[in-house]
């Protein structure tokens, strides 16, 4: 089996990626991690999927082995080398990777914010000249982004009162850096993982290490600052409203952060959503907590994509 990893040059930045499987097969898979994670978070999925199709994983800018440029918020003065971390940025990165590196039909799979990135990339691929290489999208506990301004009506009334103060505070680089450094400690990460993985399955030293190591890089706090200031960006349902490729949902039944009822609502109301599979007892990262169940569902999507016409 082919196994590669490297750095891809994109818009002046080095982007980490890995590949397992036969690179010449007609359909590929691209795995897109969630917030704070990286290509290694697919440790139990990429080798299994690679038996059926070439399976890539990518570090979005600011995470993993990818460059971590300084964050520039929307209304800040332009700074040399700084970027506005956003779903447009990450979506364009993934869309360009699909066309420039993968170069064939692809199944996009995203966890948490990686799901929103996958949806934005799929839409960008539809909008650019030529046939889109994206055949379908699988969202694993896609981020619902409840702190976005457009979600304010769904939040408690007191949130409207503290929101201006919250926005002012998280803009401060010293504060966002301090928050990040505290959150990136191994003990804190283990505590968060116990929430994210309610069964406790696969919370091991390797998992903690793969999350801790990139967080120790000099620029790691910048992507954190950029992300926590995304109060007006793309939402999953809005992106899916006008998406022509099929979308499939995989959801941890006990996800503490992305409520299952919202995923059920998506499945009932959005035309592009063709299926919802609930992983019993799992939380926010079922691909790592219950990989056997999730791999079986992903392999089904791969086999369908290999045998069906474009758009399946």
């Amino acid at each position: 089996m082919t196994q590669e990893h490297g750095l891809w040059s994109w818009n002046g930045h080095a982007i980490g990626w890995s590949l397992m499987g036969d690179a010449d097969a007609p359909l590929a898979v691209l795995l897109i991690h969630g917030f704070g994670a990286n290509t290694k978070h697919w440790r139990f999925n990429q080798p299994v999927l690679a038996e059926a199709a070439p399976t890539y994983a990518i570090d979005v800018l600011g995470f993993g082995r990818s460059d971590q440029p300084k964050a520039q918020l929307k209304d800040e003065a332009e700074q040399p080398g700084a970027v506005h971390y956003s779903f447009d940025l990450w979506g364009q990165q993934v869309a360009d990777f699909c066309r420039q590196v993968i170069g064939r039909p692809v199944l996009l799979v995203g966890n948490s914010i990686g799901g929103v990135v996958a949806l934005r990339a799929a839409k960008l691929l539809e909008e650019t000249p030529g046939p889109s290489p994206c055949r379908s999208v699988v969202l694993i506990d896609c981020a619902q982004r409840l702190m976005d301004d457009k979600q304010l009506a769904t939040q408690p009334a007191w949130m409207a009162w503290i929101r201006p103060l919250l926005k002012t505070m998280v803009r401060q680089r010293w504060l966002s850096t301090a928050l990040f450094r505290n959150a990136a400690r191994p003990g804190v990460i283990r505590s968060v993982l116990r929430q994210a993985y309610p069964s406790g399955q696969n919370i091991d030293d390797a998992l903690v290490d793969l999350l801790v190591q990139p967080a120790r890089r000099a620029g790691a706090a910048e992507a954190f600052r950029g992300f926590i200031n995304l109060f007006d960006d793309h939402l999953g349902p809005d992106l899916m409203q006008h998406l022509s490729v099929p979308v499939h949902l995989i959801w941890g039944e006990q996800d503490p952060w992305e409520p299952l009822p919202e995923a059920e609502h998506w499945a009932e109301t959005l035309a592009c959503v063709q299926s919802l599979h609930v992983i019993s007892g799992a939380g926010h990262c079922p691909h790592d907590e219950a990989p056997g169940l999730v791999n079986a569902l992903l392999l089904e999507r791969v086999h369908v994509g290999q045998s069906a016409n474009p758009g399946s």
Side-chain angles (χ1 to χ4, degrees), residues 22-28 54 104-106 306:
D22 179 7
D24 295 326
L27 176 76
R104 79 205 67 182
V106 63
Q306 289 171 332

Side-chain angles (χ1 to χ4, degrees), residues 222-264:
E222 289 299 312
F224 177 79
R225 177 176 184 254
F227 179 73
I228 63 175
N229 279 280
L230 286 183
F231 289 102
D232 184 18
D233 208 316
H234 295 289
L235 299 177
D238 296 339
L239 290 169
M240 286 186 278
Q241 282 286 352
H242 306 291
L243 199 62
S244 62
V245 298
V247 176
H248 301 272
L249 309 180
I250 299 175
W251 224 270
E253 178 188 32
Q254 297 183 32
D255 189 328
W257 304 318
E258 311 298 345
L260 176 58
E262 180 65 15
E264 293 171 334

Side-chain angles (χ1 to χ4, degrees), residues 122-158:
K123 189 60 182 171
L124 288 168
L125 287 168
E126 284 187 350
E127 294 170 347
T128 54
S132 170
C134 180
R135 291 294 177 263
S136 61
V137 178
V138 178
L139 305 179
I140 303 176
D141 292 71
C142 182
Q144 295 167 20
R145 306 197 55 250
L146 297 177
M147 290 301 293
D148 193 280
D149 288 341
K150 296 181 288 298
Q151 299 273 40
L152 188 57
T154 68
Q155 300 302 300
W158 54 264

Side-chain angles (χ1 to χ4, degrees), residues 1 15 18 29 51 81-82 100 103 108 113 125 133 138 144 149 166 173 185 193 199 222 231 241 250 253 279 295 300:
M1 179 190 298
I15 302 297
S18 64
V29 178
E51 295 289 342
Q100 298 175 22
L108 298 179
I113 69 164
L125 287 168
V138 178
Q144 295 167 20
D149 288 341
L166 175 66
R173 182 169 270 108
R185 292 183 296 143
L193 287 170
S199 72
E222 289 299 312
F231 289 102
Q241 282 286 352
I250 299 175
E253 178 188 32
I279 308 300
N295 285 341
E300 180 181 348

